[in-house]
Each structure stands twice: as structure tokens, then as C-alpha cells.
Amino acid sequence: MGAEYVVGPMAADHAEQVLAIYRSGIDEGDATFETAAPTWEAFDAGRLPGHRFVALDGTRVLGWVAASAVSDRCVYAGVVEHSVYVHPEARGRGVAGALLRALIESTEAAGIWTVQSGVFPENAASLALHERAGFRVIGRRERVGRHHGRWRDTLLLERRSRIVG
């Protein structure tokens, strides 16, 4: 059975749906420390243009992935942090895996050797997804931030390119 969606570059036309999916992940409570979605302008400014994608079913955005630089220091030019979110109704269709594959292809083509992410330990689905995509847990940041009045840990995940570096 083939995919019922296509993965392509994220554009401003997708803004409303991308931010709605982000808000949904925020509301679920185990996706991010954020408590509100940013404006499109802030979202757009904080993500690398060549490394953000959407999964589309026609014109409907099913999910998105985007990467940000971890530092402006030149030694970290090949390291990015990413986020991946899928609409609740589109889960279980391979959308997140397809989005991660697109991100990995674009980052490797650009000479990026490390893609990382911080994931709450309670987010079992995200941890399993990342493991399938070749990420590994490289550490636990204990009580790294407060979220809804309680301290939360994150697991630092990393995928090192096999072809860059």
C-alpha cells in the first residue's frame, strides 16, 4: 500500500496548518516546553529554510519537520536541532518517518553531520520513531526546565551521518 501523501518543502502557504499542528502537540503536553505556538514570522525566522518539510494529502498538511541551527559558532555549522509533529488524525501512517527521511536527506546533502533533538522521556512514540530513523540517546538532562509548574527531564537524541564528516 503506497503512501497517501507527498513530502515537500514547507512554504508560507502552509503556515496556518503547521502552527495548528504545533499547537496540538503543545496541548498534548509531552512534545515541547513551549506553552503557545509562535507567530509564523517567529517560526519562519527560527528555522533553516532548506531543512523544513510538510507531508501533504492534497492541500491538507498532515505533519511537518524543521531544523534550526544549534549555534552560530562555525564549529557547529554541521549540527542542527529538529522538531517533527504530526496531526493526531494522521498518526500511524508513516508520516513522521517520511518527514525525518526528507530532513536527513536534505541535511546530509548540505554537509550537516549531526541532527539532534530533546525529547521528554514520557514521549514513547517519539523515542521509538527516532530510534527507527537511526537516532540514539546520548544523554539525559535532568530537571532541565519547568513545564506547567513541574521540573521535566529531556533525553538528548542524536543521529550522526554515515556519509558526512
Side-chain angles (χ1 to χ4, degrees):
M1 179 166 121
E4 300 162 8
Y5 53 85
V6 296
V7 174
M10 183 188 295
D13 293 355
H14 304 125
E16 185 178 325
Q17 293 182 76
V18 165
L19 294 178
I21 292 168
Y22 195 14
R23 278 191 294 279
S24 178
I26 290 168
D27 292 346
E28 288 176 350
D30 280 333
T32 179
F33 279 110
E34 299 298 329
T35 57
T39 64
W40 176 252
E41 293 74 21
F43 182 97
D44 186 48
R47 275 56 177 198
L48 299 169
H51 307 295
R52 49 187 175 182
F53 300 93
V54 291
L56 294 169
D57 182 356
T59 60
R60 181 173 178 232
V61 176
L62 303 178
W64 60 269
V65 65
S68 303
V70 299
S71 174
D72 58 3
R73 294 181 60 202
C74 63
V75 298
Y76 295 111
V79 183
V80 297
E81 182 172 14
H82 83 286
S83 297
V84 60
Y85 286 80
V86 175
H87 191 287
E89 294 174 8
R91 293 181 186 155
R93 295 172 55 186
V95 171
L99 289 165
L100 277 178
R101 283 189 296 279
L103 178 70
I104 290 164
E105 288 175 15
S106 76
T107 55
E108 288 186 334
I112 293 169
W113 57 83
T114 301
V115 178
Q116 66 183 37
S117 188
V119 176
F120 290 132
E122 298 84 1
N123 194 338
S126 183
L127 293 171
L129 163 73
H130 283 89
E131 183 179 357
R132 287 191 303 273
F135 286 77
R136 64 190 178 102
V137 175
I138 61 168
R140 182 182 197 107
R141 299 180 74 195
E142 295 178 358
R143 296 173 48 95
V144 70
R146 290 181 67 80
H147 184 241
H148 297 298
R150 70 180 177 106
W151 288 102
R152 300 285 302 262
D153 295 356
T154 59
L155 299 176
L156 181 57
L157 306 180
E158 169 184 276
R159 183 189 184 280
R160 300 297 297 262
S161 173
R162 294 181 188 98
I163 62 172
V164 178

